[in-house]
mmCIF file of all heavy atoms in Angstrom:
data_model
loop_
_atom_site.group_PDB
_atom_site.id
_atom_site.type_symbol
_atom_site.label_atom_id
_atom_site.label_comp_id
_atom_site.label_asym_id
_atom_site.label_seq_id
_atom_site.Cartn_x
_atom_site.Cartn_y
_atom_site.Cartn_z
ATOM 1 N N LYS A 456 111.351 124.447 153.485
ATOM 2 C CA LYS A 456 110.857 125.547 154.373
ATOM 3 C C LYS A 456 109.400 125.726 154.050
ATOM 4 O O LYS A 456 108.625 124.779 153.905
ATOM 5 C CB LYS A 456 111.782 126.614 154.259
ATOM 6 C CG LYS A 456 113.281 126.305 154.516
ATOM 7 C CD LYS A 456 114.225 127.551 154.858
ATOM 8 C CE LYS A 456 114.728 128.209 153.659
ATOM 9 N NZ LYS A 456 115.716 129.230 153.885
ATOM 10 N N GLU A 457 108.997 126.958 154.116
ATOM 11 C CA GLU A 457 107.582 127.415 154.050
ATOM 12 C C GLU A 457 107.010 127.192 152.708
ATOM 13 O O GLU A 457 105.812 127.645 152.433
ATOM 14 C CB GLU A 457 107.233 128.790 154.677
ATOM 15 C CG GLU A 457 107.476 128.827 156.128
ATOM 16 C CD GLU A 457 106.925 130.070 156.758
ATOM 17 O OE1 GLU A 457 106.105 130.686 156.221
ATOM 18 O OE2 GLU A 457 107.482 130.323 157.955
ATOM 19 N N THR A 458 107.766 126.617 151.729
ATOM 20 C CA THR A 458 107.158 126.396 150.358
ATOM 21 C C THR A 458 106.399 125.107 150.376
ATOM 22 O O THR A 458 105.481 124.954 149.519
ATOM 23 C CB THR A 458 108.223 126.314 149.334
ATOM 24 O OG1 THR A 458 108.869 127.653 149.268
ATOM 25 C CG2 THR A 458 107.798 125.728 148.021
ATOM 26 N N GLY A 459 106.413 124.391 151.424
ATOM 27 C CA GLY A 459 105.651 123.102 151.382
ATOM 28 C C GLY A 459 105.688 122.291 152.678
ATOM 29 O O GLY A 459 106.282 122.835 153.698
ATOM 30 N N ASN A 460 105.162 121.196 152.596
ATOM 31 C CA ASN A 460 105.288 120.327 153.843
ATOM 32 C C ASN A 460 105.929 118.968 153.601
ATOM 33 O O ASN A 460 105.649 117.874 154.032
ATOM 34 C CB ASN A 460 103.873 120.139 154.539
ATOM 35 C CG ASN A 460 103.028 119.446 153.526
ATOM 36 O OD1 ASN A 460 103.229 119.277 152.300
ATOM 37 N ND2 ASN A 460 101.755 119.064 154.113
ATOM 38 N N GLY A 461 106.971 118.979 152.621
ATOM 39 C CA GLY A 461 107.853 117.742 152.477
ATOM 40 C C GLY A 461 107.319 116.959 151.275
ATOM 41 O O GLY A 461 108.163 115.975 151.009
ATOM 42 N N HIS A 462 106.258 117.157 150.673
ATOM 43 C CA HIS A 462 105.926 116.343 149.547
ATOM 44 C C HIS A 462 106.436 116.840 148.281
ATOM 45 O O HIS A 462 106.850 117.946 148.107
ATOM 46 C CB HIS A 462 104.376 116.305 149.391
ATOM 47 C CG HIS A 462 103.708 115.624 150.540
ATOM 48 N ND1 HIS A 462 103.638 114.184 150.675
ATOM 49 C CD2 HIS A 462 102.908 116.010 151.552
ATOM 50 C CE1 HIS A 462 102.932 113.853 151.755
ATOM 51 N NE2 HIS A 462 102.597 115.088 152.336
ATOM 52 N N ARG A 463 106.484 115.996 147.186
ATOM 53 C CA ARG A 463 106.980 116.365 145.873
ATOM 54 C C ARG A 463 106.009 115.893 144.845
ATOM 55 O O ARG A 463 105.724 114.710 144.781
ATOM 56 C CB ARG A 463 108.296 115.812 145.521
ATOM 57 C CG ARG A 463 109.448 116.375 146.427
ATOM 58 C CD ARG A 463 109.773 117.901 146.066
ATOM 59 N NE ARG A 463 110.981 118.369 146.745
ATOM 60 C CZ ARG A 463 110.807 118.875 148.080
ATOM 61 N NH1 ARG A 463 109.595 119.006 148.616
ATOM 62 N NH2 ARG A 463 111.841 119.401 148.660
ATOM 63 N N GLU A 464 105.435 116.867 144.066
ATOM 64 C CA GLU A 464 104.600 116.461 142.920
ATOM 65 C C GLU A 464 105.421 115.953 141.720
ATOM 66 O O GLU A 464 106.644 116.116 141.802
ATOM 67 C CB GLU A 464 103.810 117.690 142.444
ATOM 68 C CG GLU A 464 102.742 117.982 143.720
ATOM 69 C CD GLU A 464 101.653 118.776 143.185
ATOM 70 O OE1 GLU A 464 101.870 119.888 142.471
ATOM 71 O OE2 GLU A 464 100.499 118.494 143.345
ATOM 72 N N ALA A 465 104.788 115.577 140.729
ATOM 73 C CA ALA A 465 105.445 115.162 139.494
ATOM 74 C C ALA A 465 106.290 113.945 139.845
ATOM 75 O O ALA A 465 106.287 113.470 140.824
ATOM 76 C CB ALA A 465 106.356 116.393 138.799
ATOM 77 N N SER A 466 107.186 113.534 138.752
ATOM 78 C CA SER A 466 108.077 112.408 138.910
ATOM 79 C C SER A 466 107.324 111.082 139.542
ATOM 80 O O SER A 466 105.995 111.137 139.599
ATOM 81 C CB SER A 466 109.195 112.840 139.824
ATOM 82 O OG SER A 466 110.111 111.724 140.065
ATOM 83 N N HIS A 467 108.005 110.143 140.029
ATOM 84 C CA HIS A 467 107.223 109.074 140.616
ATOM 85 C C HIS A 467 106.935 109.347 142.122
ATOM 86 O O HIS A 467 106.212 108.755 142.751
ATOM 87 C CB HIS A 467 108.026 107.684 140.519
ATOM 88 C CG HIS A 467 109.420 107.930 141.055
ATOM 89 N ND1 HIS A 467 109.712 107.803 142.401
ATOM 90 C CD2 HIS A 467 110.675 108.237 140.515
ATOM 91 C CE1 HIS A 467 111.002 108.164 142.602
ATOM 92 N NE2 HIS A 467 111.575 108.303 141.481
ATOM 93 N N THR A 468 107.652 110.450 142.546
ATOM 94 C CA THR A 468 107.475 110.841 143.978
ATOM 95 C C THR A 468 106.100 111.276 144.250
ATOM 96 O O THR A 468 105.587 111.231 145.391
ATOM 97 C CB THR A 468 108.365 111.993 144.247
ATOM 98 O OG1 THR A 468 108.354 112.999 143.348
ATOM 99 C CG2 THR A 468 109.866 111.538 144.431
ATOM 100 N N VAL A 469 105.299 111.736 143.258
ATOM 101 C CA VAL A 469 103.889 112.175 143.440
ATOM 102 C C VAL A 469 103.106 110.966 144.028
ATOM 103 O O VAL A 469 101.997 111.127 144.600
ATOM 104 C CB VAL A 469 103.330 112.616 142.170
ATOM 105 C CG1 VAL A 469 103.141 111.536 141.140
ATOM 106 C CG2 VAL A 469 101.917 113.383 142.440
ATOM 107 N N LEU A 470 103.464 109.708 143.665
ATOM 108 C CA LEU A 470 102.772 108.569 144.099
ATOM 109 C C LEU A 470 102.714 108.470 145.623
ATOM 110 O O LEU A 470 101.889 107.892 146.264
ATOM 111 C CB LEU A 470 103.305 107.217 143.537
ATOM 112 C CG LEU A 470 103.173 107.270 141.994
ATOM 113 C CD1 LEU A 470 103.949 105.973 141.465
ATOM 114 C CD2 LEU A 470 101.665 107.127 141.569
ATOM 115 N N ASP A 471 103.674 109.137 146.370
ATOM 116 C CA ASP A 471 103.744 109.097 147.747
ATOM 117 C C ASP A 471 102.652 110.024 148.310
ATOM 118 O O ASP A 471 102.263 109.898 149.557
ATOM 119 C CB ASP A 471 105.036 109.469 148.367
ATOM 120 C CG ASP A 471 106.089 108.482 148.076
ATOM 121 O OD1 ASP A 471 105.811 107.280 147.910
ATOM 122 O OD2 ASP A 471 107.325 108.769 147.910
ATOM 123 N N ILE A 472 102.180 110.885 147.455
ATOM 124 C CA ILE A 472 100.985 111.666 147.897
ATOM 125 C C ILE A 472 99.700 110.872 147.859
ATOM 126 O O ILE A 472 98.835 110.971 148.602
ATOM 127 C CB ILE A 472 100.924 112.988 146.984
ATOM 128 C CG1 ILE A 472 102.074 113.867 147.335
ATOM 129 C CG2 ILE A 472 99.711 113.802 147.464
ATOM 130 C CD1 ILE A 472 102.281 115.073 146.281
ATOM 131 N N PHE A 473 99.571 110.228 146.650
ATOM 132 C CA PHE A 473 98.264 109.600 146.331
ATOM 133 C C PHE A 473 98.053 108.173 146.695
ATOM 134 O O PHE A 473 97.173 107.429 146.187
ATOM 135 C CB PHE A 473 97.825 109.875 144.948
ATOM 136 C CG PHE A 473 97.597 111.344 144.756
ATOM 137 C CD1 PHE A 473 98.524 112.164 143.943
ATOM 138 C CD2 PHE A 473 96.645 111.965 145.242
ATOM 139 C CE1 PHE A 473 98.307 113.454 143.553
ATOM 140 C CE2 PHE A 473 96.305 113.373 145.026
ATOM 141 C CZ PHE A 473 97.164 114.035 144.166
ATOM 142 N N THR A 474 99.108 107.642 147.383
ATOM 143 C CA THR A 474 98.949 106.098 147.711
ATOM 144 C C THR A 474 99.297 105.888 149.275
ATOM 145 O O THR A 474 100.065 106.650 149.718
ATOM 146 C CB THR A 474 99.878 105.165 146.856
ATOM 147 O OG1 THR A 474 101.239 105.608 147.042
ATOM 148 C CG2 THR A 474 99.399 105.225 145.381
ATOM 149 N N GLU A 475 98.842 104.821 149.724
ATOM 150 C CA GLU A 475 99.342 104.374 151.077
ATOM 151 C C GLU A 475 99.985 103.134 150.789
ATOM 152 O O GLU A 475 99.761 102.274 149.995
ATOM 153 C CB GLU A 475 98.063 103.931 151.975
ATOM 154 C CG GLU A 475 97.268 105.068 152.400
ATOM 155 C CD GLU A 475 97.803 105.756 153.524
ATOM 156 O OE1 GLU A 475 98.908 105.475 154.035
ATOM 157 O OE2 GLU A 475 97.014 106.734 154.086
ATOM 158 N N TRP A 476 101.081 102.949 151.596
ATOM 159 C CA TRP A 476 101.937 101.677 151.557
ATOM 160 C C TRP A 476 101.184 100.559 152.288
ATOM 161 O O TRP A 476 100.778 100.824 153.398
ATOM 162 C CB TRP A 476 103.392 101.873 152.038
ATOM 163 C CG TRP A 476 104.283 102.540 151.066
ATOM 164 C CD1 TRP A 476 104.750 103.849 151.117
ATOM 165 C CD2 TRP A 476 104.701 101.933 149.917
ATOM 166 N NE1 TRP A 476 105.544 104.005 150.133
ATOM 167 C CE2 TRP A 476 105.609 102.946 149.310
ATOM 168 C CE3 TRP A 476 104.585 100.721 149.175
ATOM 169 C CZ2 TRP A 476 106.240 102.733 148.124
ATOM 170 C CZ3 TRP A 476 105.213 100.598 148.090
ATOM 171 C CH2 TRP A 476 106.132 101.533 147.422
#
Side-chain angles (χ1 to χ4, degrees):
K456 302 197 275 190
E457 290 193 19
T458 290
N460 62 346
H462 292 284
R463 290 293 182 272
E464 292 196 309
S466 182
H467 56 85
T468 49
V469 69
L470 297 173
D471 291 332
I472 297 172
F473 291 115
T474 58
E475 290 281 9
W476 281 111

